[in-house]
Amino acid sequence: MSGTEADADVVVVGLGAWGACALWQLAGRGVKVIGVEQYGLANAYGSSHGESRMFRTACLEHPGLVPLARRSRQLWQELERETGTHLLDPTGAMLIGPPDGRIVGGALRAAREHALDIEVLDRRALHRRAPAHQALAPGDVGVVEPAGGLTLPEMTIRAAVGAARAAGAGVLTDTRVTALEFTAAGVEVHTAAGGVLRAGQAVVTAGPWLARLVPSLPLEVVRMPTTWFTPAEPGERFTLRRLPVFMRELAGGDVIWGHGVLPGGTELKLGLEDGGRHFATVDPDAVDRSVSPDDWSVLAGHLASAVPGAGTAPSRAVANIYARTPDGQFVIGRPRRDPRLLVAGGCSSHGFKHSTGIGEAVADLALGKEPAVPLGFTDPDRF
Ligand SMILES: Cc1cc2nc3c(=O)[nH]c(=O)nc-3n(C[C@H](O)[C@H](O)[C@H](O)COP(=O)(O)OP(=O)(O)OC[C@H]3O[C@@H](n4cnc5c(N)ncnc54)[C@H](O)[C@@H]3O)c2cc1C
């Protein structure tokens, strides 16, 4: 490249769930690729932290995400086979609320458009199936997706990066990228230690830090607490089997989410969705990582009636962050069609379930191919 040999065809900046899966997919196709991560792998500072995530194909956020979730499930199974790790637990997923509400209404719309295998439970059947859910509103229903369940974020990152390394990828951890400099030959990726990596193109999967490197993207970063509760009287109703991973829309529009105690564990994971009205936007490099009752007071108020007995204060809490776009959809593609830059970010707190599919789409785009799943609605230039 301009008389200087390139270090790689592609440099992937940020190895959270999306970057790790992109690295895996690129390396698996024989691309000379280097992944760069500012902290350690599976760190607690970005969006892919907290042991578990909800997986569902009933994508209430956009019907176009259903094929991506389906493809992601297949790829997760491939990653499991390739690495001998268990990463996706199909223990069922439940979406609860009024049939015309954002959560259940969105899930039913996705199910109709894509003929999803779901079961709809009326309030009484829902209460029998998941007795931890109390104070259901008269019209509430539950949409159960048996193939939904839990995915494991930290383990997914380690598995994907491990598989990428085995396929020849280079990996630099504790290395912060400070700038991307575009040249006639490609891109120079500058690091805080003063190093430069030269490549044909950069894939920026920097999660909440994406707009630091690509400031044209209209992203804001939200600080969102993750909380676990230990019930004083653990019982069958709090097990993962009886309280599978859920989102529940309450009267007034707030949404709580979580799941029951994993086998061998003691804690429920329960949280409050941001919904644009609860959590502050922050500078990703100046996040208050301490937690206080302000972080869970609204949630605890809801739990007292909606999931009584779960506990009034968390047994464990951490402050996570994620990047939000103005329309709540991802940004995946080439800003201004620049062949030297690809971005995948703006997860808007519903992106983990698509990590493997996004990794594949990024690899397709990097190689000049149309992604297998149409992703026009995630065009980074749409704003
Ligand atoms: C509390 C919470 C709950 C969620 N629940 C769900 C759920 O149930 N289901 C679901 O599907 N989704 C869920 N999400 C969303 C999901 O977790 C994210 O969509 C997903 O983890 C996004 O991963 P990412 O790789 O884009 O970002 P990240 O995991 O933040 O990864 C970005 C990485 O880039 C690195 N980086 C940034 N800047 C640089 C730089 N300059 N140089 C080098 N490295 C850099 C960071 O250190 C980080 O490791 C949730 C999110 C949160 C916060």
Side-chain angles (χ1 to χ4, degrees), residues 22-301:
L23 192 76
W24 168 52
Q25 286 289 312
L26 285 160
R29 297 179 198 197
V31 174
K32 192 175 173 195
V33 59
I34 299 173
V36 187
E37 166 57 49
Q38 64 181 344
Y39 301 121
L41 291 181
N43 64 74
Y45 307 114
S47 305
S48 307
H49 169 259
E51 298 151 27
S52 58
R53 289 287 186 268
M54 181 185 222
F55 180 87
R56 57 188 152 82
T57 64
C59 295
L60 51 102
E61 297 83 359
H62 194 291
L65 289 169
V66 176
L68 186 62
R70 282 178 162 157
R71 180 62 188 143
S72 293
R73 180 168 48 210
Q74 290 172 346
L75 289 166
W76 240 296
Q77 288 160 353
E78 269 181 35
L79 183 59
E80 287 183 320
R81 278 194 298 274
E82 206 173 312
T83 60
T85 29
H86 183 58
L87 303 168
L88 181 58
D89 216 348
T91 39
M94 229 180 223
L95 299 159
I96 301 168
D100 56 352
R102 184 169 64 82
I103 300 300
V104 168
L108 290 174
R109 184 168 57 117
R112 259 193 319 273
E113 283 188 30
H114 293 277
L116 297 181
D117 178 18
I118 55 156
E119 186 185 356
V120 181
L121 305 177
D122 66 17
R123 181 168 174 262
R124 286 175 63 167
L126 171 59
H127 185 66
R128 270 199 306 276
R129 183 80 63 91
H133 286 291
Q134 301 269 331
L136 294 159
D140 275 357
V141 299
V143 173
V144 180
E145 184 182 351
L150 287 181
T151 40
L152 308 179
E154 289 89 346
M155 285 178 64
T156 295
I157 292 172
R158 291 200 185 93
V161 172
R165 273 188 169 127
V171 176
L172 300 174
T173 54
D174 301 299
T175 304
R176 180 165 187 150
V177 170
T178 49
L180 303 173
E181 193 181 334
F182 297 99
T183 65
V187 59
E188 294 186 353
V189 178
H190 294 261
T191 70
V196 180
L197 294 168
R198 292 178 182 81
Q201 54 184 309
V203 167
V204 189
T205 43
W209 291 265
L210 175 54
R212 281 285 150 93
L213 293 168
V214 188
S216 60
L217 295 172
L219 303 178
E220 52 184 15
V221 177
V222 179
R223 178 184 174 283
M224 179 166 168
T226 304
T227 37
W228 291 262
F229 292 77
T230 304
E233 290 179 30
E236 172 69 11
R237 74 186 192 284
F238 288 135
T239 59
L240 179 63
R241 198 175 70 80
R242 297 307 298 273
L243 182 59
V245 65
F246 71 90
M247 290 177 83
R248 175 173 166 192
E249 183 172 353
L250 304 170
D254 276 356
V255 172
I256 58 172
W257 52 267
H259 61 76
V261 179
L262 302 179
T266 55
E267 292 174 313
L268 303 166
K269 189 175 182 187
L270 296 166
L272 179 69
E273 198 195 54
D274 169 34
R277 50 181 162 175
H278 292 298
F279 304 131
T281 54
V282 292
D283 171 344
D285 288 314
V287 179
D288 180 0
R289 300 282 176 178
S290 65
V291 288
S292 74
D294 283 349
D295 284 316
W296 55 79
S297 57
V298 176
L299 171 67

